[in-house]
Every structure is written in structure tokens, then in C-alpha cells.
Amino acid sequence: MNQRLRPPRRVVADRVTLAHGGGGKAMRDLIEDVFTSVFAPPGMEDQARLMHPSLLEPGAQLAFTTDSFVVSPMEFPGGDIGTIAVCGTVNDLAVGGARPLWLSAAFIIEEGVEIATLRRIARSMQTAAEVAGVRIVTGDTKVVGRGSGDGVFVTTAGVGVIPPGRDLLAGKVRPGDVALVNGVLGDHGAAILAARGDMALTTDVVSDCQPLNLLIEAVLAAAPDVRCARDATRGGLASALNEIADAAGVGVVIAEADLPLRPEVKGVCEILGLDPLYLANEGTLVLFVPPDQAAAALAAMRGTAAGRGACSIGQATASHPGTVVMKTVFGGGRIVDMLVGEQLPRIC
Amino acid sequence: MNYADEFRDPVAARGVLAAIARVTDEIGATREKPVHIMEICGGHTHAIFRYGLDKLTPPGLEFIHGPGCPVCVLPMSRIDECVEIAERPGVIMTTFGDAMRVPGHRKSLIQAKADGADIRMVYSPLDALELARRHPDREVVFFGLGFETTTPSTALTILQAAADGQTNFSVFCNHITVPPPIKALLDDPHMILDGFVGPGHVSMVIGVRPYDFIARDYGKPIVVAGFEPLDLLQSVLMVLEQIRDGRAEVENQYSRVVPDDGNPVSIAACAEVYAPRPSFEWRGLGEIDASGLCIRPAYAAWDAEVKFGVGYGKGPRAVAEPDGCRCGDVMTGRIKPHACPQFGTGCTPEMPLGALMVSSEGACAAYYQYGGLRLEAAL
Amino acid sequence: MGVRRQVNVACILKDEPIEALIGTWSLIHVGFAMSRINEEEAALTLDILRQLGEAQAEIEAMRASERMLAS
Ligand code: SF4
């Protein structure tokens, strides 16, 4: 970005008005004060011009992804919409084996949102970006009238580089491969449910939202033949496993006794009749490793901040291709299917 | 000790399962000639599939999944009426989550919400009352449904609303009772049931005596059961022992929660607020005499049927279920869910045709989601 | 700790102050405490279950040693 010839402006209003979307000074002030001054080094230029040495390596591939984020409430224990907007896109790149480098961030802001809220969201985004080692380099803001949005919607796109020779693909999972997760399941889903307040439940569970790229790098260094990784976001672990089973044409067997769950998450699920396997996560992944590298992968995960609670939860098998089966604590079995629509509390 | 985990102990489970196998043998039941035990309650059906219990019991023991999922048996006409109320201007309809997907003739509550009705999920009727307090300018309606387990909570909420003078709150009452449909099943000439596992949470409210007729008049054993897997297995064992010994009694496995006489405060609240309806429609079973509850005239101010003029029986009572639906046959144990021609094709959890596909407590949905044929192929 | 939720205790309160409930376990359904857990009954039920479990463990051990002797 060019040297500034004038001092940075400050937004004086308390809330976003349609004027902030008008393309004039108010909008410029909003972008500069709330966003670009936080995204260090200053980002949000309309066009980012980028170069990175890893792109020049023969055999390197560019990875490019985008995702939109809507979450209610916008701020919740353990993060906010900004945190997941960065982590989500970083993780989408990372589970494909890419090293995330740059992000864009586009905001659709509903008239009336507090400027202070926007500042907190921007701050969270920058913090998450720093943890992940990525830069937010371009972006956009639009303001919509009251009632046309729901607070703030954020869209991030991400660019990363897949080093030569790396090829993580769900289709590569083979029978016998071991399934590992990096930590407890369902924290994000449970935290959001409680934060929404409709069910009047309170817990101390916080969202697990965190970038996973450093963890994946560590695992790949220790266990180079990792077949694939998948972040268990919407639809939870169950959906991630089903997608993998489908893509690879293998069966997956997980053991209920091995699933890492916080007592609080179990509690929320029991009260509301929900299945933790379907609760969303924002910083939890499952990866499949050949059995001879499972121990190394596990140790590598546990050595990272995002993987302290890592453990093995099951295995791919040649039988029942495309189907995920859970061995219950009783030795019985049940199919863990894809979710049908949204998981609704089952109360009576 | 938290009175839940202890009842999930796999070691004890092996013991109960071995005893179940032994007694099933002693009865002389085989895969070809099995004993049929019905778990009445949807919570039990759910637990059986959730823990894979049906795969652990001997082939000579067959579970028949009963009508005890209150969401599943809600007839289409009542959903229609609920949608009609929800779509009135100014109304906030509140409901338990699992009722959102139940199909009506026109639409489900989920569809009505998408079409603009203000429909919100709550955990408790008390939360609906609280919503009424916070929105004095709106009419908050609670979609009251459920068996005797849930009936008192709605009654106590109405009493609370009456005491507070909260007049913008009302209940669309669809509460139903367990004993009448069991009687209807027992009166069915095709009935093949040998015994029952009774719904523990219902008995926590009404006690165990309302089931006396099952043992006394029909000579069938019933054991009131808790909801942890060991509770369920132990209850099955107790039913089998009764069958083996030629006894027909009402036994209480869930005595840590179920007093023989139930809960007097709950019973009194229900008697105060509700009167029995002459009959009520059950999806898949049709009209059953005295199986539903309505709100007494003294509490008409909190009765959504009165407030919105949509009383039971005003709309078309289309008992006819969709073509090809075999819910009745599944519920009476005549066929297994996958024997229904609609199963998995015309009828799926995304687009349920019949009642038993609606909630994961329904036998067909549980089969579809947790296993049934696919699981047998997998194991 | 855990999950917290306000519940109505009218159904389980006998002629006693509400403090009497402190430390007791109760079954909660849709925001109402519906039944106090009867600890003695719970212990009795668990006893029976444990006995069944132990008996089975003994049978299994016996079978295992018989198999050992037979082989
Ligand atoms: S598959 Fe559908 S229509 Fe057939 S019995 Fe089950 S719920 Fe009824």
C-alpha cells in the first residue's frame, strides 16, 4: 500500500449507518479506521499484488478457497464471527495440504451494527491471522438496510501453496488406515447453542475455533503418508467421516468409548436430545494415516497447541464401503449416517 | 455416582445379556418362533438403536417398537391447525424442536417458519411463558404435546400464567395419554405381543397402577423401565422371567425414579387444568377413545383452541393416511419397517410420509438412520 | 462446571423449605424437576445388576478354564 499522505481518519459514529456504505468519506473512514489499521501490515487494498518464493518451486500448486460465514450470536465464548471467518478458510486450505498465505475479507454489515463490535471482530481476525501466519490483504465492505441482514456476514477467500509432492485426498484412504482427531468434539456447537440463549442453558464450554495449519504441517513432517485430513465443521465428525468413506469407497468403524467428549458437551446433548457426533466444530479435524505412521502422527499432533487432546477414534475397513459404523460402549453397533437437515432438539 | 453412568456399565451388561439369552432359551423361543416384547416408549426405541441393543439380544427375542413417540403420532390435522395459528398476525408459536419437521397436509412448522411465521424452539413451556412476558404486544402460543411425562409441565405453566395474569400466553393442547393406545393394541385381533416394557418417565408421573389392566385383563406382563441401557436390558429380563414363569404382573424396574403412586403434585396439577377429550386422533392408529386431553373451561383464557377458534374437530379429521403407508402394521408388530413398500423410497427422514419416520424415536426413522438392514449387512 | 439451567421444583417439594433440596439428585424434564432420585432403590437395582455381571464373569472364567483343561 502507498505511503499515506494524510493522517488516518477516525470513525466518530457509534453505529454503522447507510452512509458508511455510500462510497464516500464515511465509508473510507470506516474501512481505514476499523479494518485496514488493524490488519497489519495494512491490507484491504482493492487489489493485492502478491509474490511468495514457495510459488516458484517446481511442482508447487496454488490452492484457492472461499467460504461465507454467518453465525448467531456474532460473538460467543471462545471467539466471534471474525475468528471463524479466518480459521475456517485457513483450515479449508490446510486440510487440503496447502500452506495458507493470504486471505481476503468481505463484510456485509447491517445498518445499526455497533462500530465497537466491528472493531472487536477485526481484532479477532487479525489475532487469528497472526496465529495462523497469514495476512489479510484485500477486502470489501457493504452496508445493507436494517432487516436486510443479521448483524455482520463475512466472506473470506484464501490462497495458499501446496508444496511439491503433497497430495492429501479423501479418495486415498485405504482399509486399515487409522482415524485420528486432534481433540474434543462438539465444543463449538455446544458453546453456540448455549450462547444463543433460546434454551436457557449455560455452560463454561468455549468454541474450539482455531487454525489447524501448524498442526497439519507438524503431522506431515512426522507422518508423510497421511492420506487425508478433513475439518469436522458443519455436520460434525459424522459428516466428515461419511464424506471420506464415500470418496474412498471404504467403511469406517469408530469406537464410542474412544470419542473424546467433555462432560459438559455430553450434558448439553443429553438435555436436548442431540448427538455430539453431529455438533459443529471450528478447530477440530479428523485425519487418516497408514497404521505404521499412526503413532508418529499422534505424537506430532500432541506436540502442537491445537492437538494436545489428540487421540485415535477408529479405522477404515474393507467391509461396508461408504458406511460409517460406531461400536457402542456396549459392544453393539449402529450406523452413523449423514445428518438429515438440521439437528433438532428432541425433548419429549 | 450420578445415577446415569452406573447404568451404562458394560460388565454388568454382559451379565444381563447372558441371563436374557438363558431365559429366552428356557422359554423355547427361537428365531422362527420369537417372543415379542413391545417397548412402548419412543425413548426406549431410541435407546435400543442408539446402543445397538437389538444386535446383542438373542434372535429368539424380537422388539416391537410401540406408539410411544408423541411427535410421531401427532396427526396431520393438528399440525395444520398449529400452522394456522402460527400464521396469524402477531403470534409467536413456540414448540419443542422435534415437532418442527412433522408434516401437515399443507406444510410442517419448519416450512411455515420459512414462509414467514414466527416459530421458535424452546426447551421448556416456562421459556414460552417468559417470552410472553418479554413480548406483551404479541400472542405467545405453546405447542403442548407429549405424554403424561410432559403433561404436568404444561399444566403448571398454565397455572403460573393464570396466577401472574399473563393473558397473552396460551397453549395449543395436544397432550395424550399412554394407557388407551395400549388397550387399543391389546384389543387388536392380530396382536402378537407377549409382554411390555413400560415407559418409566410416564410412570414417574402417574405411577404404575394405571397399567394394572394389562396384567389383570389381558394376562400380559409389563415392567416399568428406566432409560439407561442397563435399565432397559434388566427390564427385558424381568419381562422374560415373567413369561417363563407364567406370571403376568406389573413390575417396577425404575424404582429409583418411579414411586408406585407417581407424583401427587403433578397429578393434582393435571386434574386441575385438563379434562379428557371424548377421543383423539393418533397418526397411524386412528381415533382412540379418551386418549387426549383438553384444557378445562376454567382455564379457557389460556387455551389456544378457544382463543383462536380452532377447536379439535372443527377441521377435517382426515384419518386416512397416505397411500401405501404401513405405519399401523409396523406399530402393531405385523411387519418390520423395511417391509413397508415406502421405506427408504417414498418415505425418508427428509420427507416423511408416515408417522414413524418423523422423529428419531420413531421405529422407521431409527431403522433408517441407525441400522436395520444396512447394519446387518455391515456387521 | 457442567450445564446450568433454572428449573421449577414444585413437583418434588414436600412440606419443607427449598433448601432441603440442596445436595439431592433429581430427574429433570423440560425444565421441571419431576422426581427425586431414591438413592436406596438405586443401590438395590445396581446390586442386582452387579450380581448378574459377576455371575456371568464367573461362568466365563469357568468356561475358559474348562477349555484350558480340555485342550
Ligand atoms: S416407512 Fe414410512 S410409511 Fe412405511 S411404515 Fe414406516 S413411517 Fe409408515
Side-chain angles (χ1 to χ4, degrees), chain B residues 325-327 330 340 342-343 347 354 356-357 364:
Chain B
C325 159
R326 305 277 307 267
C327 291
V330 173
C340 169
Q342 301 292 345
F343 182 83
C347 183
L356 299 173
M357 198 57 102
C364 292

Side-chain angles (χ1 to χ4, degrees), chain A residues 199-204 264 347, chain C residues 1-6 29-30:
Chain A
M199 301 289 161
L201 299 175
T202 52
T203 79
D204 301 327
E264 290 86 349
I347 289 166
Chain C
M1 250 295 287
V3 185
R4 293 171 298 275
R5 151 94 210 185
Q6 193 175 12
H29 183 70
V30 299

Side-chain angles (χ1 to χ4, degrees), chain B residues 133-150:
Chain B
R133 250 178 236 129
R134 274 190 276 130
H135 297 279
D137 52 324
R138 307 280 300 271
E139 272 298 332
V140 176
V141 184
F142 176 67
F143 189 14
L145 58 92
F147 290 110
E148 288 90 336
T149 321
T150 331

Side-chain angles (χ1 to χ4, degrees), chain A residues 18-256:
Chain A
L18 285 177
H20 290 108
K25 279 191 184 145
M27 183 178 104
R28 222 199 138 78
D29 294 353
L30 177 80
I31 293 176
E32 282 188 6
D33 180 23
V34 176
F35 297 109
T36 49
S37 67
V38 174
F39 299 157
M44 303 291 278
E45 204 49 65
D46 268 354
Q47 178 196 68
R49 298 175 185 181
L50 306 161
M51 189 53 216
H52 195 270
S54 63
L55 274 169
L56 298 174
E57 269 186 74
Q61 281 176 290
L62 200 63
F64 180 31
T65 185
T66 185
D67 214 336
S68 293
F69 297 85
V70 295
V71 56
S72 165
M74 282 191 289
E75 300 178 287
F76 46 82
D80 59 29
I81 191 168
T83 328
I84 50 174
V86 169
C87 295
T89 293
V90 163
N91 294 344
D92 279 350
L93 288 170
V95 293
R99 295 183 175 137
L101 295 172
W102 304 296
L103 301 188
S104 71
F107 301 83
I108 294 176
I109 306 164
E110 188 184 14
E111 186 185 15
V113 168
E114 286 184 25
I115 300 289
T117 309
L118 287 182
R119 287 190 200 281
R120 287 196 298 274
I121 291 173
R123 182 59 22 235
S124 306
M125 292 181 80
Q126 180 56 22
T127 307
E130 280 165 20
V131 174
V134 299
R135 286 166 54 206
I136 301 166
V137 291
T138 183
D140 182 47
T141 63
K142 291 281 183 302
V143 178
V144 296
R146 211 180 245 282
S148 302
D150 184 13
V152 180
F153 300 149
V154 185
T155 298
T156 51
V159 173
V161 175
I162 304 173
R166 200 182 266 185
D167 189 20
L168 297 184
L169 264 187
K172 291 171 77 176
V173 173
R174 289 285 143 268
D177 288 352
V178 178
L180 307 174
V181 294
N182 62 311
V184 287
L185 304 169
D187 283 9
H188 179 74
I192 290 286
L193 251 175
R196 258 182 215 155
D198 326 334
M199 301 289 161
L201 299 175
T202 52
T203 79
D204 301 327
V205 178
V206 302
S207 166
D208 61 338
C209 58
Q210 58 184 343
L212 295 167
N213 53 325
L214 303 180
L215 175 137
I216 291 179
E217 286 302 322
V219 174
L220 283 169
D225 295 324
V226 167
R227 314 279 196 200
C228 80
R230 178 82 42 140
D231 49 343
T233 52
R234 248 178 318 174
L237 179 70
S239 302
L241 291 176
N242 271 288
E243 283 165 23
I244 292 170
D246 239 12
V250 298
V252 172
V253 178
I254 57 173
E256 183 176 21

Side-chain angles (χ1 to χ4, degrees), chain B residues 76-104:
Chain B
M76 285 204 176
S77 52
R78 291 304 272 179
I79 296 291
D80 296 344
E81 282 150 6
C82 186
V83 168
E84 194 194 318
I85 297 174
E87 289 182 335
R88 304 265 178 108
V91 166
I92 301 177
M93 180 61 75
T94 56
T95 172
F96 294 138
D98 36 4
M100 295 281 287
R101 249 199 291 267
V102 186

